[in-house]
Amino acid sequence: MTGQLIIAVDGPAAAGKGTLARRLAAELGLPYLDTGLLYRAVGRLVLDAGGDPSDPVAAEEAARALVPADLARADLRGPEADRAASQVAALPGVRAALLKFQRGVALARGAVLDGRDIGTVIFPQAHVKLFVTASVEERARRRWREVQSGGLAADLAAVTEELRRRDALDLARAAAPLRPAADAVTIDTTALDADAAYAVALETVRRRLGAP
Ligand code: DC
């Protein structure tokens, strides 16, 4: 692929993709796009209209109407938004509308995108593809500590169960299921802290781009 630089960072929920992708984008001077926010925003738009996020007609209409400002909403996190996002993410019509949105945004200036299907579907020709993963137990511990540090009570067993449920949905979905692209470099962060994971990612990107 010629033209704007595209870096795909895929992987399961809570693997540390966001932190890593944001740092890479800052280092490389590229815009960063958290593509999970698109599915979250579409879910919200459907709920706002009093609709059902698993209704393909309502969800596809919301996906086509999505504008960048919708991604800045303050209510895109939390259990209700999680559920609505995974419902709309299973709908092929929603994924097709958001594919156009993602390509439009990223091709303007290049981008680091994080998600589930960036290297497999959205940008199969991305210059660099990373697949960032960690054991479900470690991802759950990180998410649990994050919730606690936000001053909220959380039960580690419940957080682990919820992540297992989201993994199963991401993996089993017929439309763009979560899987590494054949030419992705997998970074398992189970035994790495954020700085160490970032160092491996940056080194991988530099190597792939042929930088000294
Ligand atoms: O990464 P996240 O938790 O914000 O993702 C929210 C939902 O959207 C989750 O159900 C997975 C889905 N998703 C997707 O299907 N494809 C993407 N590129 C990003 C997220």
Side-chain angles (χ1 to χ4, degrees):
M1 181 156 116
T2 53
Q4 303 290 12
L5 182 57
I6 300 290
I7 300 194
V9 182
D10 289 305
K17 306 184 295 290
T19 311
L20 194 145
R22 200 174 285 111
R23 282 177 77 174
L24 278 179
E27 172 72 27
L28 301 167
L30 290 172
Y32 161 62
L33 183 62
D34 171 357
T35 65
L37 287 182
L38 309 187
Y39 297 89
R40 292 170 177 278
V42 170
R44 269 286 167 223
L45 289 174
V46 176
L47 293 172
D48 286 353
D52 171 359
S54 62
D55 168 6
V57 175
E60 208 180 308
E61 194 180 313
R64 278 201 300 262
L66 191 75
V67 292
D70 293 322
L71 309 183
R73 289 177 61 143
D75 56 358
L76 300 182
R77 305 272 166 204
E80 197 189 22
D82 285 353
R83 197 167 332 109
S86 57
Q87 285 174 308
V88 303
L91 301 170
V94 167
R95 303 200 73 89
L98 295 185
L99 178 142
K100 289 196 189 128
F101 185 103
Q102 291 166 82
R103 287 191 181 159
V105 169
L107 288 173
R109 291 198 288 136
V112 179
L113 302 97
D114 85 49
R116 305 289 190 287
D117 63 340
I118 307 303
T120 49
V121 176
I122 309 297
F123 285 110
Q125 308 303 326
H127 298 83
V128 186
K129 299 178 188 178
L130 303 178
F131 191 83
V132 180
T133 187
S135 71
V136 69
E137 292 80 10
E138 179 55 24
R139 288 185 284 126
R141 265 192 299 277
R142 291 177 192 165
R143 179 57 57 86
W144 176 68
R145 279 195 295 263
E146 208 175 274
V147 175
Q148 283 196 320
S149 68
L152 297 171
D155 172 43
L156 180 58
V159 174
T160 311
E161 219 24 67
E162 177 57 21
L163 271 184
R164 281 193 204 283
R165 197 185 64 81
R166 292 188 57 194
D167 283 356
L169 288 175
D170 284 342
L171 290 165
R173 177 172 73 205
L178 173 67
R179 61 179 173 80
D183 53 350
V185 175
T186 295
I187 301 178
D188 186 332
T189 70
T190 306
L192 302 178
D193 66 14
D195 285 342
Y198 174 65
V200 174
L202 185 59
E203 156 69 19
T204 306
V205 169
R206 292 215 159 112
R207 203 173 52 241
R208 285 272 163 138
L209 293 178

